[in-house]
């Protein structure tokens, strides 16, 4: 309710006071607008380097490019080589200023798109939108960071104490390698801003993000010749298929719990009844209690197999921790809403997003964390064409740069 009141107050100001524009930092707004076309060029360059999480060459190329950009902006750059299954290097840039505040900005270099996706869906601009694999998630986040810093540089702004930028390469692999680095860097900062994309139209800013994990069910049956004596076999694949069908309803968005089967492996050869199958469900939760309850329900349902004599066991592998904005983080969200409004933008805080993000790893540090500072985008993690709303480029650069100014104190 507090937020709602704050929103109303800001909106009222907008509607009734022509002097509202005076709140705007005009020189910074001019700088942000000047950065926007350059940021579009950066976005294009980033999209044109394909960086699926396991693409070694592309990841190295992008890492070099970003390290160079940060150096040009005045940062001391450190490259932390990733360990498999992550690839490339985590890029950390540190800017030393004249003040006290320690601010961490994070975004990721990897995308979910396999190599070759760019050839099928090359970068293009159409009607105020730019399209390309990974353009929103999260090349827009990387771009907004770089050009917000460039805008601040044009203002000669360095009132922060230390500004740290981190780009990782395994966010789409639940940050298996870099999660700890995110937590450590956050621990050394006073505040963390995360640059996952927002949403087009209604630009949301989340007050929580789900924790995630992988639920595996391993089914064991009995192998037999599929043509000569299939009756002697116990088909693990058939049992796994039945488990998939009878557990789909565990997915429960109303409780902030997402449970969706996404992978199945079974069988080594066509002419043998398979004795093993492994199925895997993408699993996201807002509440540990709900997660535990759902996993218990899953285990219960495995006790009555369709295929006699098969057994199945659950193996839950926790991934990224969840994120819930604490009071200091919520205050920063309210500040972001107000700042965006200075340039006519509207951010809408939402209670939660079921996507997970590195905000969760950052929050393990106990520091205030805010999420969603990339560009408004659409189609990420879907089979639809991914795009970003280019009309928001300048306002988003302004938002981040002004947040850094505010966080740096007077
Ligand atoms: Zn992302």
């Amino acid at each position: 309710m507090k937020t709602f009141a704050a929103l109303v107050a800001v909106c009222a100001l907008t509607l009734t006071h022509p002097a509202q524009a005076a709140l705007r930092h005009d020189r910074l707004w001019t700088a942000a607008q000047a950065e926007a076309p350059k940021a579009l060029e950066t976005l294009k360059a980033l999209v044109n380097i394909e960086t699926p999480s396991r693409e070694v060459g592309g990841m190295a190329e992008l890492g070099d490019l970003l390290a160079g950009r940060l150096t040009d902006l005045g940062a001391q750059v450190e490259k932390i080589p990733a360990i498999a299954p992550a690839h490339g290097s985590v890029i950390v840039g540190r800017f030393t200023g004249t003040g006290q505040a320690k601010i961490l900005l994070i975004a990721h270099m990897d995308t979910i798109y396999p190599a070759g996706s760019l050839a099928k869906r090359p970068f293009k601009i159409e009607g105020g939108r730019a399209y390309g694999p990974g353009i929103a998630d999260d090349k827009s986040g990387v771009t907004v960071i770089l050009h917000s810093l460039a805008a601040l540089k044009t203002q000669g702004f360095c009132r922060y104490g230390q500004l740290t930028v981190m780009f990782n390469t395994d966010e789409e692999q639940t940050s298996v390698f870099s999660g700890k680095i995110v937590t450590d860097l956050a621990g050394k900062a006073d505040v963390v801003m995360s640059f996952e994309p927002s949403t087009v139209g209604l630009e949301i800013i989340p007050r929580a993000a789900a924790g995630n994990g992988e639920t595996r069910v391993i089914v064991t049956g009995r192998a037999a010749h599929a043509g000569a004596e299939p009756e002697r076999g116990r088909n693990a694949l058939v049992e796994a298929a039945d488990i998939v069908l009878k557990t789909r309803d565990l997915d429960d968005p109303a409780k902030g719990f997402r449970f969706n089967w996404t992978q199945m492996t079974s069988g080594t050869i066509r002419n043998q009844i398979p004795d093993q199958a492994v199925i895997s469900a993408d699993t996201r939760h807002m509440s540990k209690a709900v997660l535990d309850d759902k996993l218990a329900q899953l285990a219960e349902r495995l006790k009555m197999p369709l295929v006699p004599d098969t057994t199945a066991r659950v193996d839950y592998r926790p991934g990224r921790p969840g994120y819930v904005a604490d009071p200091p983080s919520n205050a920063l969200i309210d500040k972001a809403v107000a700042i965006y409004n200075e340039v006519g933008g509207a951010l809408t805080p939402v209670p939660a997003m079921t996507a997970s993000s590195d905000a969760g790893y950052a929050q393990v540090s106990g520091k205030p964390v805010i999420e969603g500072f990339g560009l408004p985008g659409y189609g990420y993690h879907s089979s639809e064409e991914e795009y970003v709303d280019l009309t928001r480029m300048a306002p988003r650069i302004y938002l981040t740069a002004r947040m850094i100014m505010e966080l740096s104190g007077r």
Side-chain angles (χ1 to χ4, degrees):
M1 289 305 284
K2 177 169 160 281
T3 307
F4 184 61
L7 253 173
V8 170
V10 170
C11 294
L13 209 62
T14 311
L15 292 173
T16 56
H17 292 271
Q20 180 266 339
L23 290 171
R24 191 175 75 196
H25 191 303
D26 285 327
R27 277 193 304 133
L28 183 64
W29 177 228
T30 303
Q33 289 172 295
E35 282 301 319
K38 299 177 212 168
L40 178 55
E41 285 305 308
T42 297
L43 192 56
K44 180 179 178 182
L46 301 191
V47 169
N48 280 334
I49 302 172
E50 284 192 291
T51 49
S53 307
R54 291 163 200 267
E55 178 70 29
V56 179
M59 206 64 84
E61 187 184 348
L62 183 56
D64 288 346
L65 186 150
L66 296 179
R69 290 292 189 94
L70 289 170
T71 303
D72 291 347
L73 286 164
Q76 293 285 329
V77 175
E78 179 187 7
K79 283 185 173 180
I80 305 168
I83 295 169
H87 294 290
S89 296
V90 177
I91 307 296
V92 181
R94 293 182 176 89
F95 300 82
T96 304
T98 56
Q100 300 297 319
K102 300 189 188 75
I103 305 162
L104 174 64
L105 314 177
I106 62 174
H108 64 92
M109 294 153 62
D110 58 326
T111 77
I112 59 158
Y113 299 93
S117 300
L118 185 64
K120 291 179 199 147
R121 290 179 172 178
F123 178 89
K124 67 176 179 185
I125 299 170
E126 257 176 37
R129 297 171 177 173
Y131 293 78
I135 194 164
D137 185 12
D138 188 27
K139 295 192 171 170
S140 79
V142 173
T143 299
V144 170
I145 290 176
L146 291 176
H147 288 274
S148 300
L149 298 182
L152 286 174
K153 197 177 176 195
T154 65
Q155 305 301 298
F157 182 87
C158 54
R159 215 167 53 224
Y160 46 81
Q162 185 160 66
L163 198 56
T164 305
V165 175
M166 190 235 44
F167 300 132
N168 57 354
T169 63
D170 59 349
E171 197 276 343
E172 301 292 5
Q173 294 177 289
T174 323
S175 305
V176 279
F177 169 71
S178 66
K180 188 177 177 313
I181 295 173
V182 173
T183 304
D184 287 351
L185 290 173
K188 290 173 187 150
D190 302 323
V191 58
V192 184
M193 293 177 71
S194 179
F195 287 74
E196 291 289 351
S198 182
T199 42
V200 290
L202 191 72
E203 294 177 54
I204 66 158
I205 183 165
R207 294 194 190 275
N212 72 2
E214 177 186 11
T215 306
R216 286 187 189 193
V217 171
I218 298 101
V219 182
T220 304
R222 188 196 304 153
H225 194 290
E229 46 181 7
E231 299 78 13
R232 289 197 50 200
R234 296 292 180 267
N235 196 321
L237 175 57
V238 171
E239 179 58 25
D242 186 55
I243 292 170
V244 167
L245 292 178
K246 72 184 179 191
T247 57
R248 285 179 301 169
D249 64 330
L250 291 175
D251 184 48
D252 194 346
K255 289 187 178 167
F257 183 76
R258 303 311 314 246
F259 182 88
N260 285 283
W261 296 109
T262 51
Q263 290 177 302
M264 173 186 266
T265 54
S266 180
T268 52
I269 192 162
R270 199 205 67 242
N271 59 7
Q272 185 182 48
I273 299 295
D275 64 351
Q276 193 166 79
V278 178
I279 49 178
S280 173
D282 183 82
T283 308
R284 289 157 198 258
H285 65 279
M286 300 303 301
S287 146
K288 179 78 166 60
V290 171
L291 170 69
D292 291 345
D293 177 51
K294 295 285 185 176
L295 290 176
Q297 285 184 44
L298 174 62
E300 190 60 33
R301 292 191 200 179
L302 300 183
K303 288 179 180 168
M304 299 284 284
L306 174 76
V307 180
D309 306 327
T310 56
T311 58
R313 67 180 172 85
V314 179
D315 173 21
Y316 178 72
R317 302 177 172 204
R320 194 184 269 117
Y323 156 73
V324 179
D326 54 8
S329 305
N330 274 318
L332 293 177
I333 289 171
D334 295 344
K335 189 182 284 288
V337 169
I339 286 177
Y340 205 45
N341 187 251
E342 293 170 10
V343 288
L347 285 181
T348 303
V350 293
M353 63 175 195
T354 47
S356 80
S357 86
D358 280 341
Y361 279 119
Q363 200 179 41
V364 172
S365 69
K367 301 298 175 62
V369 180
I370 43 179
E371 175 60 284
F373 287 84
L375 288 177
Y378 179 83
Y380 36 101
H381 290 242
S382 83
S383 51
E384 295 184 69
E385 275 196 278
E386 185 170 334
Y387 69 79
V388 291
D389 178 355
L390 291 177
T391 66
R392 309 321 294 157
M393 185 74 90
R396 287 271 164 174
I397 290 170
Y398 177 88
L399 169 63
T400 293
R402 269 277 282 142
M403 284 298 288
I404 292 170
M405 284 179 161
E406 286 286 309
L407 294 170
S408 297
R410 298 287 162 194

